[in-house]
Each structure stands twice: as C-alpha cells, then as structure tokens.
Amino acid sequence: MTDLRRQLTDANTAVFADLGLPVEYARVTASDRPDLADFQSNGAMAVAKIARQPPREIAVGIREKLTGHPLLASIDIAGVGFINFRVSDTALTNRVQQIADDARAGAGEVKAARRVLIDYGGPNVAKPMHVGHLRSSIIGEAIKRIYRFRGDVVIGDAHFGDWGFQMGLLIVAATDENKDLADVVTFIDKGGDIATAAKAIDKLIDLDLLERLYPVAAAKAKEDTDYRDRARKATADLQSGREAYRALWRQFVIVSRVALEREFHALNVDFDLWKGESDANDLLRDMAEELADKKLLIADQGAQIVRVARDDDKRELPPLIVVSSEGSAMYGATDLATIVDRRKTFDPELLLYCVDQRQADHFEQVFRAAYLAGYAAEGTCEHIGFGTMNGPDGKPFKTREGGVLKLHDLIEMTNAKARERVKEAGLGAELEPEAFEDIARKVAVAALKFADLQNYRGTSYIFDLDRFTSFEGKTGPYLLYQAVRVKSVLRRAAEEGHADGPIQIREPAERDLGLILDGFDAALMEAYDKKAPNFIAEHAHKLAQGFSKFYAACPIIGAPDPDTRASRLALAAAALKQLEIAFDLLGIEAPDRM
Ligand code: ARG
C-alpha cells in the first residue's frame, strides 16, 4: 500500500536512472501550489550542474519519458524547470478506494519493529506540576501513540519523581505537625509491626495533607537552615533504608500517584509504567562500582564524577556527578541507573526522553555517560525537548495567584470554559446533563491538546483559553465539530437506508479531499521521524477543512444520483475514519453528537 507521492517518486526515479541522472534528486513532493498541480519535482534544477544541461531541458526530457504514465493526467514545466504533476482521476480514485477499504486508512507501518521506551510526564510526589510536566504529558503521549501505531513495541514510563529532597521535607513537615505520625515513627523505630503501623499511616496521610504541607515546608526550607538540614538528614535516612521513613514514604507515593493517575487519565494520558526514581536506588552502588572498574569514575573534590566532555564540544559540558560530596545520589546518577534498569527489564532499542528543553544538558551528560559505560548503544538515547507554554507576559504560565498551575485546576478551568463555549455555539442543548458533560470534557481536552500539538514542539506558545476553546479557527473544538458533522451525515444516511458504494473522484472538492487523504502516510512518517506530533495535528486540520469544503460543494445525501451518493458516502466515511485515527494519535476524542 503506497501513497501516490511515493508511487510518483518511484516512477521519477526510474526515469532519472534511465537518463543517467543521480536518482537521489528524483523525490516528488506535494505541490506548493495546489491551484496548479498535485505534486512536483524540483530535481531538474538540482541536477543541472552535475548534468551540465539547462534545467528546463532536463525537465523536458523527464516529461517526455513520463508522458502516458497511468498515474498522470498531465505534466507541466513551470519557471526554470519545476515539474508539476497532476494525477489522473482514475489513479486518485483507486488510491482513495484503497484508503477507504483499509482499517489503517492508508497509513503504513515500520518494516522492523523496535522496542522503544518513552520517558514522559515526570511528575513528582507532592510537588505541584508545572507547564513542563503538562507539555511533556501531552507531547509524550502523542509520540507514544504514533510510535505504537507505526508498529513499534512501545512502553511509556512516567518516571515518577519519588526520591528527592521533597521526600525528606514532607517527612519533617508531617511528623512536626502531627503528633500521631511522630508516634508511629517512634513505634517503627522501636521495632513495632510494620503492617500495624501502615494501617495507622493510611488514615493519617491523604492528598490534602501533602498539598497543604509541601509548599509551606518548601518555603520554610529556603529560609531556615536548621529546617533544611533536618529535611536533608531525613532524605538521607530514607534513602539508606530507615523503615519508619520508608513507611511514610510509601503512603506519600501512593496518595500522590492515585491522584495524578486520575488527572492524567482525564487528559487521555495513561502510562504503562509508573516506575520511580526510587527504583534506581538499589542499583546505584553496583553501578558506581562498575563505573570505577571501567575507570570512568573519578574522585573530584570529594565527589565521584564521570567526565563526559568531548574535544569537539563548542562549550564545555560539566561532568556527570554520580555521588555528591555529601554522599547523596544525584539526579544524573539516578537517570543513569534507570538506563541500567531499563536495559535489564525491557532492553529498549530506542530511549526517548520527552522533557523540557531546559534539561538538555542534563540528558547530554547522562547519555554520554551511558554510551561510555556501554549501558546503551551510541545514538540510541534521545532527548525530545520542547519549549514552554507561556502566560500573556511571555513567561512560563502561572495561575492568577502567581503559583504554578495544578493540573486539577487547569482541567477544571478548561472544562468550565468548554461548557460555556458549547452552550454559546448553540450545541448540546437537547442533551441530558451527563451527555452534555461528556461533550464539554472532550471539547476541553481537544482544546488544550490541539493548542499545544499544533506547534512544533520546540516552539513556545501563549496560553489563551478563549482562543483554544473557540469553535472557529485552527482549534481542537473546530476539528471535533467537523468530525461530528460527518458522523451525523452518515447516521442520517443510514437511517434513510442509503448505503455507500464504489468511490468515484470527479469534482474538484472530491479531488482535494482525496489528495489530503493520500497525504496521511507522509504526515505520519514525518511525525515519527522527527518525533513531532504537529505533523499529525496539521494533517487533521487539513482533513477537517477538506471535508468541510467537500460537504459544502458536493451534496451527499442530496447527491444527483444514487451512485454519486454512494460514492460520496464512502468518501465521507473514509475521511472520518482517518480523522479519528489522527485524533487518537493526538490523544483526543470526538463525541458522536453535539
Ligand atoms: N521529575 C523531573 C522534574 O520534575 C522530570 C523527570 C524527567 N525524566 C527523567 N528521566 N529525568 O523535573
């Protein structure tokens, strides 16, 4: 199953070979001028120098050889030697029929599946999420789905931040405030039964407590050195295995995770694994020994480091600190040990880290250390960085109170706006409250995610809920609305007893829609290669627009004759199928009606 663009590239390649031209320039792409052509080749210009011939002459030669090709209705030469192709209605009809008959709507698969691990989300116990976590979750989820759809074996891991200083802070804050908790700690310290203690802890620690304690404790630690030292000490005790602290910690982790999982799920973000930074803890000692054996670990001012700088670096990359001078394991060490763990358990052939661009150096250090130590093959670890979601002031988005956003609040805020918008658009009026709520939720998720995913991930963008939730323009709600329109046409046709039939591409709007459908695989491959879901978002938007124009120009149920109606119904169904696949890849969902 090959798209037209590749079929044309193949044909053009054969001609280039025939003419003794370098075939790597034979690539055919979608036309920059859809008003003039469907596809184009710029190869004649590219090879003119090598062939020592004017490009136009070369183009004429190519045209001659391609004339009469069954895919083509016409070949024109424009300007200095652009070759413009227009495919025949028959070729397009065949291709669109193929897409209509295909469960994957024309999308290809990888030749050899790889094991791919995607590290994304990266929320932390008790610490509120910031926009970096939000974007990581949205983008990472889409990349996971895109990789899986192309046929790879993919695992998504939340890499839960459950092991840092914030754990010590929480331990100190919680036991200071609550005498009962302090008593439980003493009870365990004196050898009391863990299961009994755990039951008490379960009653004493809930999410509200963590959310209340953490910000206060974090602020206090900034000013109060004694407090900070106690929290550090508690962190170290926890990490070296003090049972009582482990027991508190387990509850912190469970409570946070349950809440986070629910909120992520509301955004259609679901992780396969919730491994934590803590899972790397037991591997650290062996890893340090191994690094020492390999002569990679160097003592430096009381710390243990791995030098990762290379001679050709443009600026100096600091070493990876494996053990700090205070003896605690560092973020970099944890990530390196996590690679060891992943290798043992899943042995990924590709490791993608979807994390804020600001952590680029950290990952470069970890990856280089992993390559040096032989924990991963050179080039198999990749940092998928992204820009920030900004407030109107151009700085990373904060709530009105100036705090970092809580995922929960963001979702609530977006849901409220979505409800307003749906009502305003005169939609959902005759629906039951439950069905209405479901629609508002879907609109909210689509609004938030599409606003993010339509940008190339490296680009920062401004948070603007009014614009994101509008049913007009390049927005998630617009896309959902178009999908719902197709669904309602198909439903009505079925009610009136009209079946679909063989597709026949004739009208310009049918041709345009057909060409868009044909472009899905190219968009998918680009998104896959570049780890950039915006190519899918772009395609979905084009497809929604293409359908809308087709629907305006070509009556479906009111088509002039039964065959045309059957063809248009099949075309609409194909568009819907592809659109829904694209939605799924982006992690959004269309309701059945609005
Ligand atoms: N928890 C980290 C943070 O909040 C992000 C984790 C990213 N993933 C990783 N393997 N380091 O910054």
Side-chain angles (χ1 to χ4, degrees), residues 456-475:
Y456 175 69
R457 59 181 156 77
T459 315
S460 298
Y461 65 95
I462 292 185
F463 182 78
D464 181 348
L465 212 45
D466 273 327
R467 193 165 57 79
F468 295 175
T469 53
S470 168
F471 277 95
E472 274 153 42
K474 200 172 177 177
T475 67

Side-chain angles (χ1 to χ4, degrees), residues 244-257:
Y245 286 2
R246 289 277 174 135
L248 296 184
W249 168 81
R250 268 193 289 275
Q251 180 70 1
F252 296 157
V253 171
I254 288 175
V255 162
S256 298
R257 175 173 162 177

